[in-house]
Amino acid sequence: MKKLLLLSLLFFSVSVSAQKRELFEFKKNMPVYCDELIKDMTYPLAWGNAPQKNFKKWKKAARAKVLECMMTPPAPPVNGFELKVLDEEQRNGYKARKLEFQLSKYYKVRAYLLVPDAPGKHPAINLLHDHGAHLFIGKEKMIRPFHEDSTVMKDAEEWQDVVYGGQFWGDFLAQHGFVVFSADAPAWGERGRAEGVDRSKYDIMAGNMMMYGRDLSAFMTYDDMATTELLASLPEVDAERIGCAGCSMGAYRAWMLGALSDKIKAMAAVCWMVTSDVQLTLNYGRSENGGFANCIPALRQYLDYPHIASLACPKPALFINGSQDKLFPVPGAEKAFKIMHDVWDSQHASEQLITELWDMPHGCPPDAQQRVLTFFQKTLLGK
């Protein structure tokens, strides 16, 4: 009987997977009327569209709307961060530390910190890891992990070859005099599933979070804001010279953080900028468009991605996109760049925004890391 039931269920699942109706409303996981929806996205709170013409007042109102759409933040820790150093090792001109701290009332988080050997306070970078549909490692994508876990080390080294040209970005920055911090985002690394990595479960977890009145993507940004506060409190860090950077989802995290945190003085984003009309259409042959990793409910009713990034104006900002990047088509990147330039230009801060389109696919190879280093040396070190 049990065997018959299992065979029936198997037959049913195979049959259902092949079932199609003559009429349908979704294609490639997008509504067939997506372009009509795009026409109705007028972004009434964007700078230039909003009735508020005072830039500082506009920033305050627009930032408040972003935070409102991000829903309820995680409750802060009861007794502060309660920071602990779990391990430390000497590297080439800097020390690597493994940290553990109470990031909210609900959860502890582990992170890596790199501190140059030179005495005194240093400029610092909150280095934000990518998505890559690879959740087994997070912070270890940015900073070479400690040696006690060979599986993690092997995975991290292989990931460097795929995305970063074989170079750990965080260690590269630390060798040039920056304190570097990197923590796992929710669902990555040591904040993953007890049952093990399964990319297909990410959207289910995000949906469950929404049932609690919370947003998983927003928690990622709230956590990035909180870790920047922690970074600013460290004795080795010059709190007036903190930047943030990332590639792919890390780039999204970087400009979100730069837009929402006054602690961030400069930001660099590699391979994540686009406009929603290009991202959410069927016209570019993409098989994946939006996703829960950057889903803030209702926000598109008010602001598009470059409008939110423009909340960072007039801070120094560097955006690099790839002309061969299939995730972010060039027309969307160029349109977003123009929107941001119009904002920085309107505030007489044109020289503070740098947008570049490189002949490269999605990723952050060593030459892009060098470009970001040069940017931070100018903006945070004054070189």
Side-chain angles (χ1 to χ4, degrees), residues 235-271:
E236 302 90 349
V237 171
D238 181 346
E240 296 304 313
R241 294 189 293 166
I242 297 178
C244 62
C247 169
S248 191
M249 184 184 77
Y252 165 85
R253 295 168 66 189
W255 57 254
M256 283 288 288
L257 179 57
L260 298 177
S261 172
D262 292 330
K263 294 287 184 183
I264 296 296
K265 306 304 180 183
M267 62 187 192
V270 181
C271 286

Side-chain angles (χ1 to χ4, degrees), residues 263-306:
K263 294 287 184 183
I264 296 296
K265 306 304 180 183
M267 62 187 192
V270 181
C271 286
W272 209 120
M273 181 46 69
V274 72
T275 52
S276 289
D277 60 345
V278 172
Q279 183 193 44
L280 296 176
T281 181
L282 292 168
N283 296 335
Y284 291 91
R286 293 196 52 218
S287 59
E288 182 179 350
N289 297 75
F292 274 109
N294 56 277
C295 178
I296 307 295
L299 193 48
R300 290 294 83 72
Q301 295 181 35
Y302 307 99
L303 297 157
D304 200 2
Y305 300 121

Side-chain angles (χ1 to χ4, degrees), residues 23 54 134 156 181 212 244:
L23 297 179
N54 180 285
H134 186 66
F181 175 96
Y212 294 109
C244 62

Side-chain angles (χ1 to χ4, degrees), residues 128-132 141-142 159 163-164 188 247-250:
L128 308 158
H129 70 73
D130 60 70
H131 186 307
K141 296 178 178 183
M142 298 286 94
W159 194 250
V163 182
Y164 299 97
W188 271 266
C247 169
S248 191
M249 184 184 77

Side-chain angles (χ1 to χ4, degrees), residues 106-268:
Y106 311 125
Y107 44 83
K108 288 183 179 179
V109 170
R110 292 185 174 184
Y112 289 153
L113 181 74
L114 306 180
V115 180
D117 290 337
K121 292 180 178 289
H122 305 275
I125 306 297
N126 195 344
L127 196 56
L128 308 158
H129 70 73
D130 60 70
H131 186 307
H134 186 66
L135 284 70
F136 181 65
I137 53 174
K139 59 187 178 295
E140 299 89 356
K141 296 178 178 183
M142 298 286 94
I143 292 174
R144 179 178 290 278
F146 284 63
H147 287 277
E148 74 275 11
D149 191 330
S150 59
T151 304
V152 169
M153 176 64 75
K154 181 175 183 294
D155 196 71
E157 289 178 339
E158 289 175 351
W159 194 250
Q160 299 313 300
D161 292 335
V162 172
V163 182
Y164 299 97
Q167 176 171 274
F168 282 93
W169 195 358
D171 294 76
F172 172 70
L173 290 170
Q175 289 171 353
H176 289 84
F178 290 88
V179 169
V180 182
F181 175 96
S182 191
D184 296 324
W188 271 266
E190 294 178 288
R191 302 182 69 183
R193 299 170 68 247
E195 301 84 357
V197 174
D198 186 343
R199 168 65 183 88
S200 68
K201 298 296 191 293
Y202 183 88
D203 294 351
I204 296 173
M205 291 189 290
N208 286 338
M209 288 289 284
M210 285 187 179
M211 296 300 290
Y212 294 109
R214 270 70 170 178
D215 178 73
L216 189 58
S217 176
F219 262 45
M220 179 172 66
T221 297
Y222 281 129
D223 285 352
D224 291 340
M225 295 166 69
T227 58
T228 302
E229 295 288 338
L230 169 62
L231 186 57
S233 72
L234 298 179
E236 302 90 349
V237 171
D238 181 346
E240 296 304 313
R241 294 189 293 166
I242 297 178
C244 62
C247 169
S248 191
M249 184 184 77
Y252 165 85
R253 295 168 66 189
W255 57 254
M256 283 288 288
L257 179 57
L260 298 177
S261 172
D262 292 330
K263 294 287 184 183
I264 296 296
K265 306 304 180 183
M267 62 187 192

